[in-house]
């Protein structure tokens, strides 16, 4: 045998020949990533599970139309992202409006100009920065991002996709991805700064 | 470059995606601007923290239900 681990394309070819185990393997390979993407986008387990199931059912249904023009994982991320956005839009909860969000993002511009010295919390010990309460604050902060910023941040910084692949998944230009990413990061930095510097001034 | 211009390029700066010349301009500014240094440090740390939180394992029952549904659908196609 040349290699023990089949590639995605080899698995897809086997699935098309009706081999059920190949489908099992492909689902096992990506289920954790899709679940985490959905969980970060939706913020709760039930919605994440629904998105996970919708995603793979869609994949099974449309596998015949999948052409290897982009990689399978890029295509899967696109299906999963669309499923997550659809679910997000079914909610009644109102997202922060874009202008409220941008006001908060750029409040830092004035802070950077302020006379008072900002607090640098970046060199605190890792166990303090990543304790359970800090993780909860991080999750809540993602949940506050308007969806067009959240989806870019989750794909790029949480899932670790290159900016060009995020652009392909979302049908955006690379500069648009970078600009949204930057604003999302500034917003999250503000939130974490609020949390880590309480009582520090 | 003033603080506002610096701020716009900081994500590309920490991702090492800026031209050398722009990087040098930013570093020149950072030498004398404490607040911008804080923004760079804490922005970089924010990105690192989000990257460092490990993926949650998919809960066993969620995975089981997914595989069951896929098996049923795959069999019908």
């Amino acid at each position: 045998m040349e290699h023990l681990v089949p590639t995605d394309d080899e698995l897809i070819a086997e699935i098309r020949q009706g081999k059920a185990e190949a489908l099992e393997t492909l689902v096992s390979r990506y289920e954790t990533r899709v679940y985490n993407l959905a969980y970060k986008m939706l913020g709760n387990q039930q919605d994440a599970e629904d998105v996970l199931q919708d995603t793979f059912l869609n994949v099974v249904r449309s596998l015949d139309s999948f052409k290897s023009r982009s990689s399978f994982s890029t295509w899967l991320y696109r299906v999963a992202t669309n499923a997550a956005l659809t679910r997000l839009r079914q909610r009644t909860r109102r997202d922060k409006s874009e202008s409220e969000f941008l006001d908060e993002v750029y409040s830092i511009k004035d802070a950077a100009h302020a006379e008072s010295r900002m607090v640098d919390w970046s060199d605190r010990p890792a166990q303090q920065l990543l304790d359970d309460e800090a993780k909860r604050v991080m999750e809540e902060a993602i949940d506050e991002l308007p969806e067009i910023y959240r989806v870019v941040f989750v794909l790029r910084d949480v899932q670790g996709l290159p900016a060009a692949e995020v652009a392909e998944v979302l049908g955006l230009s690379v500069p648009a991805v970078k600009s949204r990413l930057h604003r999302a990061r500034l917003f999250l930095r503000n939130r974490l700064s609020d949390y880590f510097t309480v009582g520090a001034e | 470059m003033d603080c506002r211009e610096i701020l716009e390029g900081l994500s590309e700066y920490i991702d090492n995606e800026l031209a050398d010349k722009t990087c040098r301009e930013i570093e020149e500014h950072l030498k004398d601007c404490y607040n911008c240094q804080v923004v760079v440090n804490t922005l970089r740390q924010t990105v690192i923290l989000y990257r460092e939180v490990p993926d949650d394992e998919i809960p066993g029952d969620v995975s089981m239900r997914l595989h069951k549904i896929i098996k049923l659908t795959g069999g019908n196609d």
Side-chain angles (χ1 to χ4, degrees):
Chain A
M1 209 181 272
E2 276 188 324
H3 48 252
L4 293 167
V5 182
T7 64
D8 291 348
D9 286 343
E10 286 166 348
L11 287 174
I12 289 163
E14 288 182 14
I15 294 166
R16 284 177 173 150
Q17 292 160 19
K19 290 189 183 161
E21 323 82 77
L23 182 56
E24 286 269 305
T25 308
L26 196 68
V27 172
S28 299
R29 183 171 292 175
Y30 285 105
E31 62 184 347
T32 297
R33 264 178 270 181
V34 172
Y35 178 77
N36 273 281
L37 167 71
Y39 189 86
K40 293 287 183 322
M41 287 292 294
L42 280 308
N44 74 75
Q45 187 175 322
Q46 185 55 57
D47 283 342
E49 177 167 2
D50 289 345
V51 167
L52 176 75
Q53 292 181 358
D54 287 351
T55 300
F56 282 105
L57 287 174
N58 258 327
V59 165
V60 170
R61 244 178 260 131
S62 24
L63 205 56
D64 283 341
S65 64
F66 168 68
K67 311 268 191 309
S68 306
R69 241 173 287 138
S70 57
S71 72
F72 172 74
S73 67
T74 301
W75 181 65
L76 174 68
Y77 271 116
R78 193 178 306 140
V79 176
T81 303
N82 286 337
L85 289 174
T86 302
R87 171 63 45 141
L88 209 54
R89 284 163 193 162
Q90 285 164 353
R91 287 180 175 182
T92 48
R93 196 196 70 169
R94 191 185 71 95
D95 258 5
K96 211 178 266 300
S97 77
E98 179 123 17
S99 64
E100 280 174 290
F101 169 75
L102 291 176
D103 280 351
E104 277 201 56
V105 166
Y106 287 112
S107 64
I108 191 184
K109 279 188 172 174
D110 303 313
H113 267 75
E115 290 296 310
S116 63
R117 284 161 71 86
M118 295 171 81
V119 177
D120 191 351
W121 48 267
S122 66
D123 51 3
R124 304 235 176 124
Q127 67 264 35
Q128 187 188 351
L129 292 174
L130 277 174
D131 68 13
D132 286 346
E133 201 189 338
K135 282 186 200 157
R136 187 182 52 75
V137 170
M138 287 166 66
E139 281 192 12
E140 285 173 2
I142 288 193
D143 203 42
E144 274 194 77
L145 292 170
E147 64 175 50
I148 57 168
Y149 296 91
R150 192 185 317 164
V151 67
V152 168
F153 180 77
V154 169
L155 289 172
R156 177 78 181 93
D157 279 343
V158 179
Q159 301 268 334
L161 267 54
E165 191 177 355
V166 177
E168 198 184 339
V169 167
L170 297 176
L172 291 171
S173 68
V174 172
V177 165
K178 286 186 177 178
S179 138
R180 288 180 189 188
L181 178 71
H182 183 53
R183 289 168 178 179
R185 285 173 171 181
L186 287 176
F187 179 87
L188 297 171
R189 191 214 72 89
N190 288 0
R191 279 287 179 274
L192 293 193
S193 288
D194 289 345
Y195 171 69
F196 285 122
T197 60
V198 167
E201 286 108 276
Chain B
M1 274 189 162
D2 65 17
C3 298
R4 281 155 203 267
E5 291 169 292
I6 296 284
L7 187 69
E8 272 312 304
L10 285 188
S11 273
E12 287 179 289
Y13 176 69
I14 64 176
D15 289 341
N16 291 321
E17 287 169 349
L18 286 180
D20 288 351
K21 183 171 168 285
T22 319
C23 278
R24 278 198 300 276
E25 284 170 9
I26 289 180
E27 277 152 14
E28 214 33 58
H29 175 95
L30 290 177
K31 271 188 208 160
D32 302 315
C33 184
Y34 175 80
N35 279 352
C36 280
Q37 282 173 35
V38 173
V39 177
V40 173
N41 293 344
T42 52
L43 186 67
R44 183 185 283 124
Q45 186 64 283
T46 298
V47 175
I48 291 172
L49 288 177
Y50 275 101
R51 288 193 178 160
E52 274 183 2
V53 175
D55 267 3
D56 290 325
E57 272 304 308
I58 181 168
D61 54 332
V62 172
S63 173
M64 219 176 60
R65 286 193 287 273
L66 173 66
H67 282 266
K68 204 182 246 175
I69 285 172
I70 295 297
K71 204 173 254 173
L72 287 173
T73 321
N76 288 340
D77 275 3

